[in-house]
Amino acid sequence: MIQKTKIWFSLSLIIIVIGMTLLGAKGLNYGIDFKGGNIVTIDMGKGFNQNIKEEVDKIIKKYDPNATTNIANETQIDIKSNVLTNDTINKMFNDVKQKYKLKDNALVSQSNVGPAIGKELKDKALKAFGIATIAMLIYIAMRFELKFGIAAIVALVHDILITLSVYAIFQIPLNSPFIAAILTILGYSINDTIVIFDRIRENKNKMRGKKIEELANESITQTMTRSINTVLTTLFTIVAVYVFVPSVRDFAFPLIIGIVSGAYSSIFIASPVWVMLKKRKSKNKAAA
């Protein structure tokens, strides 16, 4: 695995370069939580399901093609838009009300989110990411060694960039649950990476005299089954949540990307980076 480091790095680099290029050209598709706009909740009554939601979507798209809708609960639908005005919201609601014979009080709520809140969310998210990264680097450096910490942080940055790249490439709307998902990804990814690093540390005493590449390969092989099983069981749960609980899809989708990316980076990014750092130190000692 370590011998194919260039392949693993290239695969990630291709996705990240494409994503960052599109990010620079188009930017992210910020949702209402960041750009500001209106959130409308309509109670559709009994019998509301995914099929009816799709029919309601068609009515809503007439007024705002970029509006997003989510099933809030068994009877209600949430509509998010930064284009709709009070006038168009009333027209839209009247269309829905007439088609499904709803009562006047079916318009449960209508609220406005200002762009200032979105800026505050982004600032707090960056602070949270920075604090979490520094804290994890310090912990890993104390628990293992600094090179392990650097390799783990490189893997974390990789996971964030991959997730952002997917959102930039496919222009997926990005709302506040994305921030919670990103912080969850950080915790999950670092946990998987530490499992491998812990095995490397154990094997260093058992495999004295072995090359760094052999040590890393053996440690990865020993933890591979555990890593795959953990990822699959977690993915089954998150995918089920994404499919059957539409109201939390904004949180579940980036989590799916991050879990897959985190599993990949723990094996194919973090460990090879640690090997590169160790070999560089050895070369510097030899040169000295």
Side-chain angles (χ1 to χ4, degrees):
M1 293 180 189
I2 300 298
Q3 291 80 357
K4 298 180 180 179
T5 293
K6 291 182 179 179
I7 296 176
W8 313 134
F9 284 8
S10 297
L11 291 174
S12 295
L13 195 59
I14 289 170
I15 297 173
I16 291 172
V17 167
I18 294 173
M20 293 303 103
T21 301
L22 290 174
L23 180 62
K26 296 182 179 180
L28 292 169
N29 181 14
Y30 287 111
I32 187 174
D33 292 348
F34 293 99
K35 291 196 297 187
N38 288 295
I39 302 175
V40 180
T41 302
I42 300 176
D43 193 324
M44 301 299 297
K46 296 180 180 179
F48 180 53
N49 54 39
Q50 185 66 30
N51 292 332
I52 296 177
K53 176 187 176 296
E54 292 174 1
E55 294 174 357
V56 174
D57 282 346
K58 293 179 181 179
I59 298 174
I60 295 166
K61 299 299 181 183
K62 291 192 302 182
Y63 296 93
D64 180 8
N66 297 316
T68 59
T69 59
N70 289 305
I71 297 176
N73 54 44
E74 293 179 356
T75 63
Q76 295 180 354
I77 183 171
D78 282 340
I79 304 158
K80 295 182 179 181
S81 169
N82 53 12
V83 174
L84 295 176
T85 62
N86 289 335
D87 185 47
T88 51
I89 287 173
N90 289 331
K91 291 179 180 178
M92 178 189 70
F93 174 66
N94 286 331
D95 287 353
V96 175
K97 183 175 70 171
Q98 291 174 10
K99 182 175 178 60
Y100 297 100
K101 297 179 174 56
L102 304 179
K103 297 179 180 179
D104 290 337
N105 61 0
L107 184 60
V108 177
S109 65
Q110 176 185 338
S111 57
N112 182 270
V113 178
I117 296 176
K119 185 180 183 304
E120 184 181 356
L121 279 172
K122 285 188 282 187
D123 291 343
K124 288 184 177 180
L126 290 173
K127 288 180 182 178
F129 174 73
I131 293 170
T133 301
I134 293 171
M136 286 186 285
L137 178 61
I138 294 173
Y139 169 77
I140 296 172
M142 294 174 61
R143 185 74 173 78
F144 297 90
E145 64 180 32
L146 183 59
K147 293 179 181 63
F148 279 126
I150 295 172
I153 297 306
V154 169
L156 290 181
V157 173
H158 165 274
D159 298 339
I160 301 302
L161 290 178
I162 289 291
T163 306
L164 286 173
S165 295
V166 172
Y167 270 71
I169 292 169
F170 297 102
Q171 285 295 289
I172 301 167
L174 190 152
N175 287 302
S176 54
F178 178 85
I179 297 174
I182 288 295
L183 295 176
T184 305
I185 290 167
L186 293 181
Y188 179 89
S189 180
I190 199 70
N191 178 65
D192 212 20
T193 301
I194 285 178
V195 169
I196 297 175
F197 284 172
D198 193 50
R199 185 57 58 91
I200 290 175
R201 186 179 61 174
E202 290 177 2
N203 288 336
K204 283 174 70 176
N205 296 324
K206 299 177 182 178
M207 301 173 63
R208 293 180 182 275
K210 293 284 186 179
K211 292 182 178 180
I212 294 294
E213 294 91 339
E214 294 177 3
L215 172 62
N217 278 332
E218 183 64 25
S219 300
I220 291 171
T221 302
Q222 291 173 1
T223 56
M224 182 72 77
T225 302
R226 183 263 182 201
S227 297
I228 292 174
N229 289 338
T230 302
V231 170
L232 288 178
T233 51
T234 306
L235 271 181
F236 289 153
T237 304
I238 300 300
V239 171
V241 168
Y242 178 82
V243 173
F244 297 109
V245 189
S247 60
V248 296
R249 282 179 178 169
D250 284 350
F251 174 75
F253 184 72
L255 209 55
I256 292 171
I257 300 170
I259 287 172
V260 174
S261 176
Y264 179 88
S265 67
S266 296
I267 298 171
F268 301 113
I269 303 296
S271 301
V273 168
W274 176 79
V275 170
M276 290 170 61
L277 292 173
K278 293 292 287 185
K279 290 178 70 174
R280 184 177 179 181
K281 182 181 178 182
S282 298
K283 286 181 180 178
N284 290 338
K285 282 186 177 180

